[in-house]
Amino acid sequence: MSQLSKSYEPQALESKHYATWQANQLYTSNVNPDKKPYSILMPPPNVTGILHFGHVLNHTLQDIYIRRNRMTGREVCWFPGLDHAGIATQTKVEQELRKEKLTRHDLGREQFTEKVWDWKEKYGGIILQQLRTLGISADWSRTLFTMDEGASNAVREVFIRLFDEGLIYRGKRIINWSPLAQSALSDEEVLFKEVKEHLYTLRYYIEGTNDYLTLSTVRPETIFGDVAVAVNPNDERYTSLVGKNVIVPIVGRLVPIITDDYADPTFGTGVVKITPAHDPNDFEVGLRHNLPQPNAINPDATLNELAGEFQGLDRFVARKKVVERLTELELIEKIEDYTHNVGFSERGGEPVEPYLSDQWFVSMKPLAEPALAAVMNGDISFYPNHWVKTYEHWMTGIRDWCISRQLWWGHRIPVYYAPDGQFTAARSEVEACMKLGLPAGTSLRQDEDVLDTWFSSWLWPMTTMNWLADGKTEESAEMSYFLPTNLLVTAPEIIFFWVARMIMATLKFKGQIPFKNVYFTSIVRDSKGRKMSKSLGNSPDPLDIIAKYGADAVRFTMIYLAPMGLDIRLEVNEKTQDVPSIEIGRNFANKIWNAGRFLLMKQEEAGIGKAVLHENDYSMADKWILSRYHSTIQAIADGLDNYRVTEYSKILYDFIWRDFCDWYVEIVKVQFNSNEDPAYRKGLASFALDIFDGILRLLHPVMPFITEELWLGIAEREDYESISTTKAPDSDRKLIQADVETQFAQLQEIVEEIRRLRSASTIQPQEKLPITLSTETLEFAAFVESQTKIIATLAKCSNVTVGMQLPKPEQSSSSVMRGVEVHLELAGTVDIEKERLRLQKECERLSGLEKSFEAKLNNPGFLAKAPDAVVSAEKEKLVGIKESLEKVKANLAAL
């Protein structure tokens, strides 16, 4: 037992407890056949990552389930890790090199890769240190980096197996190209934004005539790659022209007029230019018609030699120059404003270039079918469930996955090329020679590209458990015990990037699902509904907020404000970079702290030592709090079992703040002070502290630090004992008494009604007044009579008179609730005539306001012009005015 300070100061306590947890390896997990396993895979943050509020929400959710299941006696493992983040990390290091006026090419591949590893050792993984400030209880001894040797062995092995099965292939495709990174991007790494540009309608003259076709494009700079123009086969306007040639403007090249369903007769003129190397739809048309695929754009997004005089110009500069030349040649029919969606690189922020190149792909359809079935048949559950439809839609229309990246940082593709162009995937050059039937020692060249970062991440459920860590061993003790994991908590935007692919990979290579449940987190927004971002200035550093309010306050508030499936709204002060919303958690922590200190003081006052409050000595309040406690345990279990985590926090908040602190602790004071028996006092203090002990264990998963400090402080503990390894409370149905809870709720309503009458009559807090309670039944009168000490204390009454059908005292303020007449006697306290005049004036003021608002809301002009939000606000104000007016009239009548 330790002395609790007067106020809760989280900073020192949090670092102290986390250090103790780590020093005693409380969260280290082992394969234990005697226990039921529970495991979660931590989504590996990028090695370049810095903590933001999305991480706070995600990891708090995971930690709640990890801590809760540890306290139910399971063997718990939270597998942490770090992603090498190919493009993001390489970009960071290249930025550092630019300060030294160097490029990666100046260093060469090997030296540059060493630089990246140096950077990783120095700066990488800062986020894992930051996560510790949040109090998360991961098994840090199992931290895996996706470029670690074991993970790299598994990545290589998977590539080779899929290659040998024909599920990995090399082919020409239109891919998303990042001119800044000079690398391919997956579809999921492209963000679409609405862009205002121009639609240019060009003239393509028909060979040997003065007639021309007109067609529209937003990218006139790509005409150097035109190989045809297409019309719809059912478009009768152009039937006679099919098979003829047109002249590509500026270029002068003859290209055929072909028919293809891709041409939409209702869009523009119904004629489209076909540029297979620069548009994915045109590429497919080109394949159907066996058209050439000339590429007019360089990897850095400048035009190449096919563009003639425009060679070397950036694509957007070239567009202006080409339009100028087309205008000079009178080959532009018209120019119109045009708004459409354009893809941008998620990393570099530049417009993505559709680019024809040789890339490596995974054939996804054979992998997608079992992965889709696993979700649709309920083997894997999604929370919220509406994401199942999104998943189904994407999986049924899945496209092959471009897995090659033109980078140096990452897992190098294990493909080797022979001098004659043959190639194969292999674990080494020696094995490649054997597979290609070449003599040992033949000089081979390894593919220069690396794999998409997600190619290592999709193996996360297996690599975290040492699968193929040596390149050979299929099974591990961890996999047999912990797989499938119980829960994955992740953002919905990576449902395809990561969630779907993990399901595919684990089913493919292990024949098992990777996890049973997936919880998709909310988006964290500010009070204006904007997504938090540094550029908007509405994304404070969570570490600063934790330093100010404490980790527990931040954790609790985030969960309290995050109902499943709905975005979080945090109040952010952009000037001070504060988050006032976190006051919810801080105030709650202070309330709990003060309750703990009070109960400890009562225990000391009664005499240190354990005592038992016998059931015969239970008051109505004791029975009620015990019933509410066990009802709360039951409700919490139901909420968490069904991933209604916000409900868990709100049930706890209401029970602790209202039931325990505001009511029971106050009643304990009354019971304690009205009974001089030392044994009773000691028993009552122990009883209250036992309930408080259970409360701390219920609260621990979301507020680990304050619960640890209080739990250690309210009783003698063994060395290194921690609340996090104690058993969570179980609900005892026999102790839930609905009739007691109902009866006590009536007592609460009586007290609250007296407080309301006092407030309406502007009675000073320190002034005690007589109260008369008239009931309809003798039974209820007897109950109320037995609780008069509590009523008198909590409602500040000088005297409480209880009986059946009692007359209303003169000069009293009265009300009726649930058949009980409540009379607050005001004689000699309030100047009745003065109070009557005050209420009459207030009545006149509110009546005037009521008429004014009704007139406004009955005015057709106002209703027609005012926005819906303003009309709704005015209606709400009118409702409030009417309610206030009724209360004033009731108080006036009472006088």
Side-chain angles (χ1 to χ4, degrees), residues 202-203 205 249-250 309-310 320-333 335:
L202 311 183
R203 296 170 178 169
Y205 277 88
I250 298 179
E309 64 186 283
F310 303 100
K320 291 179 183 176
K321 297 291 185 184
V322 168
V323 168
E324 288 172 7
R325 180 54 54 83
L326 289 167
T327 304
E328 289 171 13
L329 297 172
E330 297 183 347
L331 292 174
I332 294 185
E333 184 88 0
I335 301 174

Side-chain angles (χ1 to χ4, degrees), residues 106-126:
D106 294 326
L107 271 63
R109 184 173 195 137
E110 190 174 332
Q111 197 179 341
F112 176 76
T113 306
E114 286 175 10
K115 278 270 186 193
V116 183
W117 276 107
D118 290 344
W119 184 91
K120 183 261 177 186
E121 292 307 315
K122 191 172 181 181
Y123 301 109
I126 287 174

Side-chain angles (χ1 to χ4, degrees), residues 405-478:
R405 298 290 181 271
Q406 289 63 52
L407 303 171
W408 287 353
W409 173 245
H411 297 100
R412 194 165 174 183
I413 290 175
V415 168
Y416 295 87
Y417 298 85
D420 63 0
Q422 290 186 80
F423 58 86
T424 190
R427 294 158 190 84
S428 64
E429 283 193 44
V430 172
E431 185 184 55
C433 286
M434 290 173 61
K435 289 176 80 172
L436 292 170
L438 296 171
T442 302
S443 178
L444 303 180
R445 175 180 63 84
Q446 187 176 351
D447 198 297
E448 293 290 324
D449 290 352
V450 300
L451 289 163
D452 178 11
T453 297
W454 296 101
F455 196 88
S456 51
S457 301
W458 79 324
L459 306 179
W460 197 242
M462 298 177 287
T463 51
T464 49
M465 300 186 199
N466 298 315
W467 179 70
L468 292 177
D470 59 359
K472 303 171 192 173
T473 308
E474 293 278 352
E475 277 302 326
S476 71
E478 287 85 357

Side-chain angles (χ1 to χ4, degrees), residues 262-303:
Y262 168 61
D264 180 358
T266 65
F267 181 76
T269 62
V271 183
V272 291
K273 72 187 196 73
I274 304 301
T275 318
H278 301 295
D279 183 276
N281 294 308
D282 292 4
F283 177 77
E284 297 298 331
V285 173
L287 290 180
R288 288 195 287 273
H289 296 270
N290 197 28
L291 297 172
Q293 301 167 339
N295 187 345
I297 296 181
N298 292 315
D300 64 355
T302 58
L303 271 60

Side-chain angles (χ1 to χ4, degrees), residues 648-890:
Y648 153 75
S649 68
K650 291 192 171 178
I651 289 167
L652 268 177
Y653 184 89
D654 291 344
F655 171 67
I656 295 170
W657 192 296
R658 176 180 154 79
D659 293 348
F660 190 76
C661 295
D662 282 357
W663 285 95
Y664 186 66
V665 168
E666 293 304 312
I667 290 169
V668 165
K669 293 176 186 175
V670 178
Q671 294 182 170
F672 200 88
N673 294 334
S674 61
N675 193 322
E676 299 290 334
D677 180 4
Y680 171 79
R681 284 185 162 195
K682 189 180 276 193
L684 178 63
S686 292
F687 177 84
L689 277 165
D690 283 345
I691 298 284
F692 191 64
D693 180 289
I695 284 171
L696 295 176
R697 285 180 285 141
L698 291 174
L699 187 63
H700 178 72
V702 68
M703 300 181 85
F705 292 114
I706 189 172
T707 51
E708 180 79 295
E709 182 69 13
L710 285 169
W711 187 81
L712 291 171
I714 62 173
E716 295 294 338
R717 308 292 182 193
E718 298 292 326
D719 285 349
Y720 309 128
E721 200 172 358
S722 168
I723 190 173
S724 60
T725 53
T726 59
K727 192 173 185 313
D730 292 318
S731 178
D732 186 343
R733 290 175 181 272
K734 296 193 295 295
L735 295 174
I736 298 175
Q737 302 179 64
D739 56 334
V740 170
E741 291 192 31
T742 301
Q743 206 170 35
F744 196 85
Q746 290 175 302
L747 177 65
Q748 288 175 303
E749 287 172 7
I750 290 170
V751 171
E752 285 169 345
E753 188 61 22
I754 297 169
R755 288 170 174 170
R756 190 194 67 77
L757 290 173
R758 287 175 61 92
S759 175
S761 301
T762 61
I763 305 300
Q764 293 300 311
Q766 68 275 13
E767 193 161 7
K768 293 184 178 182
L769 299 180
I771 198 85
T772 298
L773 301 171
S774 179
T775 70
E776 293 178 340
T777 66
L778 273 173
E779 183 186 7
F780 194 62
F783 164 67
V784 175
E785 182 69 48
S786 70
Q787 305 298 318
T788 53
K789 281 184 182 174
I790 289 170
I791 294 169
T793 304
L794 300 186
K796 297 189 176 172
C797 307
S798 57
N799 181 57
V800 180
T801 304
V802 183
M804 279 185 65
Q805 299 173 351
L806 297 174
K808 177 186 173 183
E810 290 184 12
Q811 296 184 358
S812 63
S813 178
S814 306
S815 69
V816 179
M817 43 76 54
R818 291 219 196 181
V820 178
E821 292 179 25
V822 182
H823 307 294
L824 178 66
E825 299 177 37
L826 302 173
T829 305
V830 175
D831 185 327
I832 301 297
E833 195 54 38
K834 190 176 177 183
E835 180 66 6
R836 184 180 285 115
L837 284 172
R838 186 187 74 78
L839 290 173
Q840 282 173 342
K841 282 184 181 178
E842 181 64 4
C843 208
E844 288 166 10
R845 186 185 76 82
L846 290 170
S847 295
L849 279 173
E850 181 183 32
K851 287 175 186 172
S852 170
F853 273 82
E854 283 177 340
K856 184 189 280 188
L857 289 166
N858 288 326
N859 181 345
F862 170 75
L863 295 174
K865 292 177 184 176
D868 290 344
V870 172
V871 174
S872 295
E874 296 298 285
K875 285 179 178 177
E876 282 181 24
K877 288 176 187 173
L878 178 59
V879 169
I881 289 164
K882 285 178 178 288
E883 288 174 354
S884 297
L885 183 58
E886 287 305 311
K887 287 176 184 175
V888 172
K889 284 180 177 178

Side-chain angles (χ1 to χ4, degrees), residues 144-200:
L144 180 73
F145 181 49
T146 51
M147 289 279 286
D148 283 347
E149 185 180 0
S152 299
N153 287 339
V155 167
R156 183 177 61 244
E157 189 65 25
V158 163
F159 184 98
I160 293 166
R161 291 184 189 184
L162 293 176
F163 177 91
D164 289 345
E165 282 186 53
L167 291 175
I168 283 183
Y169 64 91
R170 189 165 175 80
K172 273 196 184 299
R173 288 286 187 281
I174 290 280
I175 48 94
N176 305 301
W177 183 260
S178 165
L180 276 181
Q182 297 211 13
S183 176
L185 302 174
S186 67
D187 291 343
E188 295 83 4
E189 290 169 303
V190 177
L191 302 176
F192 283 91
K193 300 176 190 174
E194 200 172 78
V195 173
K196 291 180 180 177
E197 294 190 303
H198 293 103
L199 188 66
Y200 303 91

